Amino acid sequence: MKKILVTGGSGFLGSHLCEKLVEQEHDVLCIDNFFTGSKKNISHLIGRNNFELIRHDVTFPLYVEVDEIYNLACPASPIHYQCDPVQTTKTSVHGAINMLGLAKRVKAKILQASTSEVYGDPEIHPQSEVYWGRVNPIGIRSCYDEGKRCAETLFFDYWRQHKIEIKVVRIFNTYGPRMHPNDGRVVSNFIIQALKGNDITIYGNGCQTRSFCYVDDMIEALVSMMNTSSEVIGPINVGNPSEFTMLELAEMIIKLTVSKSRITFHSLPEDDPKQRKPDISLARNDLQWEPKTNLEEGLKKTALRAI
Ligand code: NAD
Ligand code: UDP
């Protein structure tokens, strides 16, 4: 049984991760400032003797004794990370420095939840880890993209300079139960709109693509990565390589929910990547992992618990 810290533990991915680690009987310490997360996401864990919750902002130092750290704290939805962009950069950069400092002091292994956004609007398709990306450094998505890129830099510098044990995973779009209904991300938006019979809001012409991974598959990948030997440090892509246009996603959700919603088209947000699909050869090889849940199956499970 290990003592494990999960930052951003009351968010969408963090709450599923805490649940998994609690089930595995580890001693789990969840910290969160509740910017986008909520106590409701982890209410079923409160009271368990191997789960503890602390309100804390990762931009401030934290003094605890742990064996492993999963650093997930950071808003992930564009509407949320863009509403206070300076705080978003601070969360990624100061948050990484604080958590890496903690890992160094207590000699903990530390995993960074990085993102496919480090590839920006990619010219290489599918994206593999050797691709350096095409990111606008001064646009409205930059606080998130560049913050996460800088966090990766810090992780590798702490590894080279201080020899701490790091694990960097690049998470591609993930969805599932407990996504915030007003999160603004495409899967939650379309499911809520379809269930309410409201217009489905496609941004742009709907030909942009994304590859969606179901949350249970993603949590399995994160835990497998943490448990790899010390030579496996990443960065490693984790996601589902099946690629869909937003139009296909909208049509699939309308069909699955037997909805009368109409598809409507709206302006495309600035710097919206045109395509995204992970090359997961490295994850298949190093983690012996690949996603098991197809999009239709995952959307059904998500819609069932959406409202
Ligand atoms: P989320 O917004 O649901 O969760 C983020 C959590 O971090 C929330 O609970 C929030 O309150 C907390 N948080 C934010 N700033 C904080 C701070 N300064 N101090 C402490 N806590 C803070 O998002 P998510 O989808 O669960 O994403 C979790 C992580 O995974 C993020 O780091 C995100 O960048 C990464 N990621 C997610 C996806 C995805 O598709 N879900 C894709 C790529 C990367
Ligand atoms: N999108 C959309 N309608 C919505 C929300 C998002 O068409 O109501 C599009 C968005 O423009 C993007 C894709 O869906 O092309 C995925 O958006 P999301 O915010 O979920 O994630 P990200 O852009 O960070 O991959």
Side-chain angles (χ1 to χ4, degrees), residues 162-300:
H162 300 299
K163 319 283 177 234
I164 67 166
E165 199 177 333
I166 61 159
K167 309 278 177 193
V168 175
V169 290
R170 291 183 177 156
I171 301 174
F172 282 64
N173 297 62
T174 302
Y175 68 98
R178 289 197 214 128
M179 287 187 92
H180 197 290
N182 302 322
D183 182 274
R185 280 181 276 187
V186 69
V187 174
S188 44
N189 268 11
F190 286 4
I191 287 182
I192 300 289
Q193 290 162 349
L195 290 174
K196 290 187 172 167
N198 295 341
D199 288 351
I200 304 277
T201 55
I202 287 192
Y203 302 157
N205 61 12
C207 295
Q208 70 272 38
T209 67
R210 294 292 186 273
S211 306
F212 299 101
C213 184
Y214 188 64
V215 62
D216 290 357
D217 287 329
M218 180 56 61
I219 298 305
E220 201 186 298
L222 300 185
V223 174
S224 303
M225 180 63 174
M226 184 61 105
N227 292 332
T228 50
S229 62
S230 58
E231 304 85 69
V232 181
I233 57 173
I236 190 163
N237 289 340
V238 282
N240 190 322
S242 307
E243 186 183 11
F244 295 86
T245 65
M246 294 312 100
L247 208 48
E248 287 169 332
L249 176 71
E251 282 161 356
M252 192 184 283
I253 290 176
I254 289 175
K255 196 169 143 232
L256 283 175
T257 54
V258 202
S259 171
K260 293 199 168 50
S261 292
R262 292 175 318 132
I263 290 178
T264 57
F265 294 90
H266 305 261
S267 54
L268 189 69
E270 210 179 293
D271 292 337
D272 200 276
K274 284 182 268 313
Q275 52 183 3
R276 201 181 282 146
K277 169 183 162 117
D279 176 338
I280 59 162
S281 319
L282 201 58
R284 283 196 174 103
N285 189 59
D286 287 358
L287 310 181
Q288 288 81 52
W289 171 89
E290 61 181 0
K292 298 187 196 91
T293 316
N294 69 35
L295 185 58
E296 200 171 314
E297 208 182 315
L299 288 175
K300 273 189 208 156

Side-chain angles (χ1 to χ4, degrees), residues 11-13 32-33 35-37 57-58 72 144 148 174 185:
F12 161 53
L13 290 181
D32 206 294
N33 70 349
F35 177 55
T36 50
D57 186 321
V58 290
L72 270 61
Y144 184 74
K148 289 284 188 178
T174 302
R185 280 181 276 187

Side-chain angles (χ1 to χ4, degrees), residues 14-63:
S15 62
H16 286 274
L17 177 62
C18 286
E19 192 175 282
K20 176 86 175 178
L21 297 170
V22 165
E23 266 169 32
Q24 292 180 342
E25 298 189 349
H26 296 296
D27 209 345
V28 178
L29 174 57
C30 165
I31 70 146
D32 206 294
N33 70 349
F34 304 115
F35 177 55
T36 50
S38 114
K39 279 187 197 157
K40 212 172 114 206
N41 286 341
I42 35 106
S43 58
H44 57 299
L45 300 175
I46 290 170
R48 297 277 294 254
N49 59 11
N50 59 336
F51 180 78
E52 209 178 335
L53 171 68
I54 301 179
R55 181 189 289 265
H56 179 79
D57 186 321
V58 290
T59 62
F60 296 97
L62 178 71
Y63 297 93

